[in-house]
Amino acid sequence: MSAAQPFPAAEPRDRTLDACFLGPYGENDALLEKLLVEFLRDHVYWRRNFHPEDPPAIATAAAHHPDYLAFESRMRRELHQLSAALKKSVPFHSPRYIGHMSSDLLLPGLAAQMLTLPYNPNNVSEDAAPVTVDMEVQAGLQLARMLGYPHDPSQPACAFGHLTSGGTLANYQALRLALALKAFPVALRAAQVPDLALPDDDWTAFNLPQAEGIALLERWQQWLAAQAPAERRRWQARVERERIEQHGLAGFFAAHPALHVPCVLAPVTAHYSWSKGVKLLGLGRDQLELLPTDGMRLDPAALRETLARCARTRRSVLMCVAVLGGTEYGTIDPIDEVLDARAESRRAGLDFAVHVDAAWGGYLATLFRREDGGLRPRDEVAAEYVQFPTPAVHAAFAALGDTDSATVDPHKLGYLPYGSGAFICRDHRAMALLAERADYVFHGGAADDYFARCRSLGQFIPEGSKSGAAAAAVYVTHKVLPLDHAHFGRLPRATVRAAEAFHARAQGFALEMGGTVRALVPFAPDSNLVCLALNPHGNTSPAAANAFVHALHDELRSDPQQPLQLKEFFGSVTSLRPELLGATQTARIFGALGLDPADAGDDHLLILRHTLMNPYLIDRENGISYIDRYFDFLARRVRALAAARPT
Ligand SMILES: *Cc1c(COP(=O)(O)O)cnc(C)c1O
C-alpha cells in the first residue's frame, strides 16, 4: 500500500505530550484524580481558614437526618441519570473521532477550570474576580504575542485581548470595535471640537487609518483633560451626543449625508457568525459582501476590484475579514495580500479594518513563533513536514502582526473546554470607545496603568457576568505550554503532520478504489482539515453521488438511538456549492469525479470532512495508525454501499 511515512520509525517519541491529556483510554486518570482531590481539599482548607473561629453552620449530625438523606439520594439519582445519559456523548477524545473541531482536553486547563469552579469568580469585574481578571488580561497578552502583536504593557500601543463565549462573539466584538473607531472622528467633527486638527470632511474622517483614529482619540482625551471641570463635562457630553453609539445607525447616517452604512467584506468561506454579526450590529446582511475565493482562499484580485469599485462609488468599508483556517477546508487566506490591498486602497482614500478570523487556525501561529518571540523562517518550519507550510501560508502567518484584530478560539485548537473564545486587538487604546462609562480614558504609561484599565472588563466586553474559571484554564495552559513552536506548537505540529499523512493516504485510496469509486481531495489542505469527495464509478448525477455520501455519513455520525460502540469512526460532511466555487473550480472538481455539472439535480455536492486534531491519530505505542484504519473502514463501507447501488 502507498501509505506515506511522515513519521519515520527512528524519530524519537514526544514524551511531553504523554501527560497533556486524560488520554483516549483514560490513561492519565490517576494524575487527574490526584490533582482534583488535592485542590478540592485545598479549597476546603481555604474556606475553613477564612474565619476558623466561626463554628460549622451545618450541624455535624445533619448528614443523618432523613431530609438530608432524601435530598442526597435524589441528587445521586439525578446525577446517575445524567452520567448515564452522557454516555451517549460524542467521543471527542478518541482517535476514531475525526469529525468536527473538537478533541481531548488539555489537563492543565481542565484541572485549572475544575479547581477554580468552587471559587466561582465572575470576570465581569475585578471586584468579583480579584485573581482571574488579571489572568484573563494576561491570557490576552499571551495570545497577542503568539500573533505577533505588540504585547509590552508598558508601551502605549500594547495589544489587548479578552475571552468571549466563543469565536462568534469575538467576531462580533471586532465589528463593534471597528465601527466605534471608524465613526468616532466623524463625531468629533460634528461636535466641532477645536484644536484637534480634525479631518476636513466626513468622508476623510470616516476613512482614517486605525492608527490615526487612535492618535486622534488620544489627542481628544488629552485636550479634554486640560479643560476646567465644567467645560470638560460640557465637551464630553457634546461629543457623546454625536457618536454612532448614541445616534444609532439611522440617526448617525441621517446626520452625515455624505456617508452610507459601511459594508463588511469577507470570503465566501467565512463562518456564518459573520452573518449573525452584521445582523446583530444592525448593518444588515445586505452589507455583508462575500468575495470569491481561489481554491477556497480569498482571491486578492477580487478584493482589489471590489475595493476599487467601493472607492469609485464612495461606498465605505468597515472591515475586511481574512480567515486563518477556514471552517470547512482549513485553508489560510493570503493575509499579506489583504494588507497590501488595503495599503493601495488607503492611497485612494478608502480605509477599513483588517480582522483575522483565526477561531480555528489561531493556535497554528505557535508553529511559526520562536521561543524568543521572533518569527521562524519558512525553511526551518518546513523541515518538519512534507509540504507545510507553502510560501503563501508562511507569508500569511508572517503578516498576522500587522492586522488590526483577531479571533482565536481556545476551545478549538487550544484543546480547552467550551466556551472559550478570544478577541484580540492590536492597540488596546481603541477599547476606550467601547466603554459603557463615557469618561473612560485609555492613556498613561506604566504597565500598572495598563492592568488597572483593562481590569474593568465589564466596560468593554459584549457579555456581562462571565466565567473566571475559563480564564484561569486558558492562562494556566499557556503558562504550562507557552505559545511557541517548542512548547504548545508540538500539538498543532502533530495535527498538521497527521493531516499530511491523511492527505497522502487519501490519494492512495483514490488510486486503489478507482474501480469502485472516484475519490478526490478537492483542495490540498493548508493545515489540518482534509475533505474527500466521492462518486460511485460510472455515475454522472450529482444527486446520486450525494445520496451515496449521505449514506456513508450516516455511518459516521453520532446516533443516540444506537450504542456508541457500533460506530467505528466519526466524520462530518460539508457541501461544495458551485455558485461559491466558481466555474473553473466546479469544472475541475466535477470533471475529476466524472460528474455532469449541467445535471439539474442537486445544487450542491456533499463531501466528507475530516478534522485531524486528535493527538493520538498515530499511536506509536502500539504501532497503530488510525488514519490507515479509517481508510480501511472507508474502503469496506464504500465497496458495500457501491455493491448495494441499483445498476
Ligand atoms: C468555529 C468558528 C467560528 C465560530 O466560533 P464559535 O466558537 O463556534 O462561536 C468562527 N469562525 C471560524 C473560522 C470558525 O472556525
Side-chain angles (χ1 to χ4, degrees), residues 595-607:
L595 288 169
D596 178 4
D599 187 306
D602 291 3
D603 61 352
H604 67 278
L605 190 65
L606 206 59
I607 61 175

Side-chain angles (χ1 to χ4, degrees), residues 7 13-29 31 91-98 102-108 110 413 415 481 490-499 501-502 528 568-569 611-630:
F7 284 82
R13 271 192 68 188
D14 196 344
R15 291 285 172 190
T16 51
L17 289 187
D18 285 352
C20 279
F21 298 95
L22 180 54
Y25 198 76
E27 293 88 336
N28 286 319
D29 60 337
L31 175 56
F92 294 131
H93 62 274
S94 167
R96 291 171 179 271
Y97 184 84
I98 47 176
S102 204
S103 184
D104 208 348
L105 298 172
L106 276 169
L107 276 186
L110 183 61
L413 272 181
Y415 296 88
L481 287 171
R490 290 158 183 260
L491 289 170
R493 186 176 96 120
T495 73
V496 172
R497 290 165 60 119
F502 191 95
N528 45 16
E568 290 197 46
F569 281 91
T611 306
L612 286 312
M613 74 179 283
N614 190 286
Y616 306 100
L617 286 168
I618 316 257
D619 168 4
R620 307 241 248 102
E621 184 66 30
N622 304 296
I624 296 172
S625 161
Y626 285 92
I627 294 169
D628 286 342
R629 289 198 171 180
Y630 172 70

